[in-house]
Amino acid sequence: MLARSHEPRFLSNPRRSRLLRTGEGFLLVDDGDLNGLGCRFTVAELLRDSAEEKKAAEAARAAEREQRAARKHAEKEAKRARRKSGRDA
């Protein structure tokens, strides 16, 4: 869990660290040279990421291009085979 391993850069020599769960997320309280420092963390579920949607769309387009190229190559090979079989007859 990220909240457990979080270490504020501006708190030197923490003597005590407490991680509390709240209705809104987590609260990390460190006691040290600054007489107690609190950091609030919120847990969230990712529902949508536009970057992932963009990657998926790009992958779909790439797959479509590969399918078209494979189909075109197969058509060329079939045409060559028909021409060759016509010469052999």
Side-chain angles (χ1 to χ4, degrees), residues 66-79:
E66 288 177 14
Q67 287 176 351
R68 271 185 287 185
R71 196 169 37 248
K72 188 173 182 179
H73 179 72
E75 288 170 359
K76 283 184 179 182
E77 289 298 318
K79 190 174 182 180

Side-chain angles (χ1 to χ4, degrees), residues 56-70:
E58 288 172 0
R61 284 192 296 272
E64 190 176 312
R65 283 192 300 270
E66 288 177 14
Q67 287 176 351
R68 271 185 287 185

Side-chain angles (χ1 to χ4, degrees), residues 35-73:
N35 297 326
L37 173 69
C39 297
R40 189 170 294 276
F41 296 87
T42 301
V43 176
E45 177 185 3
L46 178 63
L47 300 176
R48 179 182 170 273
D49 184 348
S50 62
E52 291 299 320
E53 291 172 356
K54 185 176 179 181
K55 286 180 186 177
E58 288 172 0
R61 284 192 296 272
E64 190 176 312
R65 283 192 300 270
E66 288 177 14
Q67 287 176 351
R68 271 185 287 185
R71 196 169 37 248
K72 188 173 182 179
H73 179 72

Side-chain angles (χ1 to χ4, degrees), residues 2-61:
L2 180 63
R4 282 189 188 150
S5 62
H6 177 72
E7 294 182 19
R9 294 181 189 159
F10 44 86
L11 179 65
S12 60
N13 192 24
R15 293 186 299 265
R16 181 180 177 195
S17 181
R18 290 164 287 164
L19 180 64
L20 303 122
R21 183 188 313 260
T22 68
E24 299 170 351
F26 294 90
L27 176 63
L28 177 66
V29 179
D30 286 326
D31 294 334
D33 291 345
L34 296 176
N35 297 326
L37 173 69
C39 297
R40 189 170 294 276
F41 296 87
T42 301
V43 176
E45 177 185 3
L46 178 63
L47 300 176
R48 179 182 170 273
D49 184 348
S50 62
E52 291 299 320
E53 291 172 356
K54 185 176 179 181
K55 286 180 186 177
E58 288 172 0
R61 284 192 296 272

